[in-house]
Amino acid sequence: GNSVTQMEGPVTLSEEAFLTINCTYTATGYPSLFWYVQYPGEGLQLLLKATKADDKGSNKGFEATYRKETTSFHLEKGSVQVSDSAVYFCALSLVQTGANNLFFGTGTRLTVIP
Amino acid sequence: EAGVTQFPSHSVIEKGQTVTLRCDPISGHDNLYWYRRVMGKEIKFLLHFVKESKQDESGMPNNRFLAERTGGTYSTLKVQPAELEDSGVYFCASRREGSYNEQFFGPGTRLTVL
């Protein structure tokens, strides 16, 4: 089936620390991969995406590389800020099916302290 | 461009009562999705509309849930009668036809069944 496994939280880091949130997936086809972020009191926002192997998605200093050989899409940021405190969700979709619904991981809550 | 809106933001009801959630997608987005996140677990797909038609309702948990999208604009999700396990956050998302990679999410409705 289709599923996403991501690192359990919560994660607490000091400002300017390096962040990695692990994400691995299983898929019945060739998925597109996403990271969504939910800031306190807000809805889910697309943070970055990658649609094929070896693609790197990047946005706001965050990066993730689509690794087909390890079925992974780990999220990284070199220097986190307090404003990055949020819940991060890894997700996949199978565009070929036409439905395009998303399969999500459980979410990882990140807290950045000054 | 206005984003996806959902109403209400919170709802607290007793077991056995009925609740109706509403989602207004981004104007012009034919695709509308409902998802649910039960506390601490992954966000799960419920169903997908294309205009007013249900494209995929494989994620609907049981027949106590009824989704409609009359006229292909806003959508409602009714839970009748509500059970304790229905508590969670219900998200709505919309996507423009042809844009296969990005769904825009609303802020969610937090439903608590007592």
Side-chain angles (χ1 to χ4, degrees), chain A residues 19 22 54 57 67 89:
Chain A
L19 169 71
N22 290 337
D54 300 325
R67 300 287 187 202
F89 295 91

Side-chain angles (χ1 to χ4, degrees), chain A residues 54-75:
Chain A
D54 300 325
D55 269 2
K56 178 186 284 188
S58 61
N59 186 25
K60 299 182 180 180
F62 290 89
E63 292 183 341
T65 301
Y66 190 142
R67 300 287 187 202
K68 192 164 184 279
E69 64 276 14
T70 55
T71 62
S72 65
F73 193 55
H74 305 319
L75 183 68

Side-chain angles (χ1 to χ4, degrees), chain A residues 32 34 36 38 41-46 49 51 87 89 93 95 98-107, chain B residues 31 33 35 37 40-45 48 55-56 89 91 95 99-108:
Chain A
S32 293
F34 307 84
Y36 278 82
Q38 185 179 22
E42 299 183 15
L44 292 164
Q45 299 175 25
L46 178 64
K49 66 183 182 187
T51 58
V87 182
F89 295 91
S93 72
V95 175
N100 217 61
N101 51 286
L102 291 159
F103 297 86
F104 285 91
T106 53
Chain B
N31 293 271
Y33 302 80
Y35 294 86
R37 187 185 190 207
K41 298 196 174 180
E42 69 270 28
I43 300 170
K44 283 195 170 179
F45 165 77
H48 170 210
Q55 186 79 5
D56 179 358
V89 181
F91 291 101
R95 174 175 66 83
S99 173
Y100 289 103
N101 284 313
E102 183 159 8
Q103 296 181 24
F104 294 85
F105 281 78

Side-chain angles (χ1 to χ4, degrees), chain B residues 23-86:
Chain B
C23 168
D24 286 77
I26 293 171
S27 178
H29 283 198
D30 288 339
N31 293 271
L32 187 149
Y33 302 80
W34 284 98
Y35 294 86
R36 176 175 74 170
R37 187 185 190 207
V38 173
M39 182 62 73
K41 298 196 174 180
E42 69 270 28
I43 300 170
K44 283 195 170 179
F45 165 77
L46 296 178
L47 87 159
H48 170 210
F49 283 99
V50 177
K51 297 184 180 178
E52 66 275 10
S53 300
K54 291 176 186 174
Q55 186 79 5
D56 179 358
E57 52 184 329
S58 61
M60 294 287 264
N62 52 61
N63 59 11
R64 295 186 292 102
F65 288 75
L66 175 64
E68 294 180 323
R69 193 182 181 197
T70 307
T73 55
Y74 71 91
S75 174
T76 58
L77 179 64
K78 180 191 289 188
V79 185
Q80 180 182 29
E83 298 289 344
L84 299 179
E85 64 265 24
D86 301 333

